[in-house]
Structure formats: structure tokens, C-alpha cells
Amino acid sequence: VEEEVEIEGVLEFLIEDWPTGARYLYFLDAADRRYSLHFAAYPPTHLLTGDRVRVRGVHIDGTLALGSGKKNVQPVTPAPLPNTLGEQRTLVILVNFSDAPTQPYTPEYAQDVVLNMTSQFYLENSFEQTRLTGDVVGWFTIALISTGCSTSTLASQAQSAASAVGIDLTAYSHYIYAFPQNAACGWLGLSTVGGNPSQAWINGSLQVRVVAHEFGHGLGLWHSHALDCG
């Protein structure tokens, strides 16, 4: 049954990056449940993951259909802006699936890609003001199977696995979940826009071009729509 509602909750804004483009996803974590937000026009461009907002729209089975983000999403309490300068404490959690417990690369390789090469990329492009530090843990085999693509479940199980071996999750401002290629997901990378901590999912392709891109979303960046002429 469709009903018009007004609901307050915490916004989660993610960008899904595919080889051929991108998709923007919006969710609202309210007191009673998690809602998927779908905009007929003009999604909000000024909000970040973690902002507390009030939305007005039509509720249909866990989905909220909204007209324009400018009209139908009102800020209540903004989340703290991401700190984009200095040391960026990052936890990389390597996970695989209960039906496919493969390990396509070593933890040492992940350390080099994220905490060395990606860090060097940010150090250079920020005029030596921003760098990544942190740790790589895993591989952990989680209960999730590879025929699905529930990123929230993957994140929850990855965090639980890291906590179980003594990792203090509160010591990091960025989480990166890296897992073997999963055809059920399709995209290369997914990340929250902002967030404290920010969260990024890397689907198979643990490469600097993917990790650095998703990490930028975690710092609050959208796509630049720039043209690289070489």
C-alpha cells in the first residue's frame, strides 16, 4: 500500500563505479528500518554520508519515492566534514566467500597497493599534505556466499572478523573491504561519499586506479568529469 510519509534518519550516499559508468545510491537509516531512496529528479548534491536528514515521499515496501532532493530532503544535523589533510588511518580487510575461499593476492600485495602506492599518489597530488597509513588484515572467510552482492552484510561480517582477531576498529577513519572477483556485483568499486568512517568495497581489482578513485569518494569527492589529455 502506498502512503505519503515524512521520515527522519541518517543518510548513506554511495557511488558504484562500473567499467562503463557509475550509479548513485541513496539510503536512509531510520529508527524502524533502512529505506532505499529513489529520486524522480535532482538528487541532493550537497549532502554526505552521515548527515541527519528529514525526507518526504511515498513509501512502497521499504522504498521511498521522492520528487526532487532539493525539495524533499531537508538537512537536520550535518555530519562532520571529512578531514582530507594529514594522516588517513585506513584498515584494509581481505575477505572471501564460504563457497569460494580463494585468495587471489597476498596481504603483502594489498599493503603495497593501498598503503604504499595509493598513499604516494595522494601525497604527490596533495603537495605532500595527505597520506595513507594503517593495516591490512585477513584473509577471512565469511559466511556470505559469492552468488549474492549484499555489501552491508559483507561489511558487517568483515568488521566482525577483524574485531575477533583483536583489531580496534575505532582506530581507523577509513575501511576498505577487498574480495575476490564477484560477478554478482559487477562493478569494480563502491564507496560511501564521506562517512566517519568511510567505507569502500573493491571487487577483485585491487589496483591503484580503483583504490585511489574509491578513496577519493570516501574523502567526500564526487566525479570531477574532467578530461585527461595525457
Side-chain angles (χ1 to χ4, degrees):
V1 177
E2 298 181 6
E3 59 174 334
E4 189 165 343
V5 296
E6 184 172 286
I7 302 174
E8 185 175 315
V10 177
L11 182 72
E12 185 178 22
F13 170 30
L14 305 104
I15 297 181
E16 230 178 49
D17 288 301
W18 294 68
T20 55
R23 186 167 68 129
Y24 295 170
L25 306 173
Y26 298 87
F27 298 94
L28 184 74
D29 291 320
D32 59 338
R33 66 186 300 175
R34 176 179 169 88
Y35 296 90
S36 176
L37 307 182
H38 295 270
F39 296 89
Y42 309 116
T45 60
H46 59 293
L47 299 174
L48 296 173
T49 294
D51 285 343
R52 189 164 192 86
V53 298
R54 186 178 298 111
V55 304
R56 183 183 297 109
V58 176
H59 176 223
I60 311 168
D61 192 26
T63 296
L64 293 178
L66 300 92
S68 165
K70 296 177 181 178
K71 289 183 177 179
N72 296 96
V73 179
Q74 299 298 321
V76 176
T77 307
L81 290 175
N83 176 19
T84 60
L85 299 178
E87 183 180 11
Q88 304 292 322
R89 293 286 295 164
T90 303
L91 178 64
V92 183
I93 309 177
L94 308 179
V95 298
N96 52 30
F97 306 101
S98 59
D99 64 331
T102 59
Q103 300 180 11
Y105 44 81
T106 65
E108 290 75 20
Y109 171 83
Q111 175 101 11
D112 187 40
V113 169
V114 179
L115 300 176
N116 178 23
M117 291 189 286
T118 300
S119 180
Q120 289 296 325
F121 173 84
Y122 273 90
L123 197 64
E124 177 181 355
N125 285 279
S126 66
F127 297 94
E128 300 188 356
Q129 295 183 89
T130 301
R131 68 189 189 281
L132 280 66
T133 64
D135 299 285
V136 176
V137 293
W139 292 88
F140 301 118
T141 299
I142 58 176
L144 203 64
I145 61 175
S146 61
T147 54
C149 189
S150 175
T151 53
S152 58
T153 301
L154 188 149
S156 175
Q157 293 183 2
Q159 290 179 33
S160 295
S163 295
V165 297
I167 298 298
D168 178 10
L169 297 174
T170 65
Y172 305 91
S173 53
H174 307 278
Y175 300 155
I176 295 176
Y177 315 107
F179 50 93
Q181 184 71 43
N182 184 352
C185 293
W187 36 262
L188 297 175
L190 167 72
S191 179
T192 60
V193 179
N196 185 26
S198 74
Q199 301 184 84
W201 293 257
I202 307 298
N203 181 17
S205 300
L206 193 72
Q207 305 170 30
V208 173
R209 69 183 184 90
V210 178
V211 176
H213 182 102
E214 302 307 330
F215 196 84
H217 292 320
L219 293 177
L221 298 175
W222 286 49
H223 290 142
S224 66
H225 302 292
L227 177 63
D228 183 356
C229 297

